Amino acid sequence: MTCARSAHSPFATRFLRAAVFGAVLAISCAQAQSARDEAHDHPAVSRYPDARIAHYDFKEYEEGQLMLSKPYFDSKTRRLVADKLLAVEGKVTYLHYEIPKSVSTLQVFRNYQSALKRSGFNELFVCARPCYDNNLSDLRELLKARDLYLNGSYDLQYLAAQRGDTYVSLAVNSFGGGAGPEVWMFVIEKEALDDGKMAVTGDSAIAKALNTNGRVD
């Protein structure tokens, strides 16, 4: 008697693996497309001509940090440090732009400097190239970049700027080898945390008053 091919045959296994891979790839592409659809320039900082948003992230409330002095390796702690840092909390927008390779990193950086100044921003710190010789991701802790994508180790320039309660932490570099400039930007809008979004639980008079009136006399 001839039996039907088992579901565990090599053919079925390869088919199942291909189907699973296809489904995972489709989900990943859909997520990437969704992220690109949500991405947009921050209204406080204009985009360099022909730049493309490669990565984007927005948090209603997070912490960010600006370098106000050149980073260096501390042999005692064996970590990258900067003597002056400015921590700011509020809305945090992260933008990574890719620029055509016909443009230099210096050209992009100087244009951002000019645009920020003309937009009323005050420079808090400027770190000329090479601000740091290794990969930008090494500065993740100093910039409080969380798990956001940082990369590139060639021709790094950095600036920190402020206009009122809006802060900009900006790095421009490239991957070298004739690649185009990369722009890595954090825009932090300083504001207090709204920590009253959740209801108060319990049967105490205070809890009842808060839930009813939103305040306690």
Side-chain angles (χ1 to χ4, degrees), residues 69-111:
S69 62
K70 187 171 183 175
Y72 64 92
F73 183 74
D74 187 340
S75 58
K76 293 182 180 179
T77 61
R78 303 195 64 80
R79 296 169 62 185
L80 271 176
V81 298
D83 293 331
K84 295 181 181 180
L85 296 166
L86 177 62
V88 185
E89 296 185 356
K91 295 178 182 177
V92 178
T93 302
Y94 154 83
L95 284 156
H96 167 214
Y97 294 100
E98 295 177 341
I99 313 290
K101 64 181 182 180
S102 60
V103 184
S104 72
T105 58
L106 181 64
Q107 183 178 353
V108 173
F109 186 73
R110 293 276 175 83
N111 269 274

Side-chain angles (χ1 to χ4, degrees), residues 168-181:
V168 173
S169 177
L170 173 79
V172 178
N173 68 355
S174 90
F175 292 103

Side-chain angles (χ1 to χ4, degrees), residues 55-169:
H55 294 89
Y56 172 88
D57 183 74
F58 171 76
K59 292 291 181 288
E60 292 181 0
Y61 190 89
E62 248 298 350
E63 57 181 352
Q65 191 157 266
L66 295 83
M67 295 190 304
L68 301 185
S69 62
K70 187 171 183 175
Y72 64 92
F73 183 74
D74 187 340
S75 58
K76 293 182 180 179
T77 61
R78 303 195 64 80
R79 296 169 62 185
L80 271 176
V81 298
D83 293 331
K84 295 181 181 180
L85 296 166
L86 177 62
V88 185
E89 296 185 356
K91 295 178 182 177
V92 178
T93 302
Y94 154 83
L95 284 156
H96 167 214
Y97 294 100
E98 295 177 341
I99 313 290
K101 64 181 182 180
S102 60
V103 184
S104 72
T105 58
L106 181 64
Q107 183 178 353
V108 173
F109 186 73
R110 293 276 175 83
N111 269 274
Y112 268 103
Q113 274 189 294
S114 175
L116 288 169
K117 288 179 181 177
R118 287 183 283 111
S119 299
F121 279 86
N122 295 317
E123 286 186 350
L124 302 177
F125 173 66
V126 176
C127 191
R129 61 178 178 180
C131 183
Y132 177 65
D133 287 327
N134 294 313
N135 198 284
L136 180 65
S137 62
D138 296 345
L139 303 178
R140 182 179 307 280
E141 185 176 348
L142 292 178
L143 298 176
K144 292 190 180 294
R146 296 171 274 133
D147 60 347
L148 298 171
Y149 178 64
L150 298 175
N151 207 343
S153 57
Y154 179 75
D155 220 18
L156 176 65
Q157 298 150 89
Y158 174 85
L159 69 81
Q162 175 188 3
R163 184 180 67 192
D165 289 333
T166 301
Y167 296 79
V168 173
S169 177

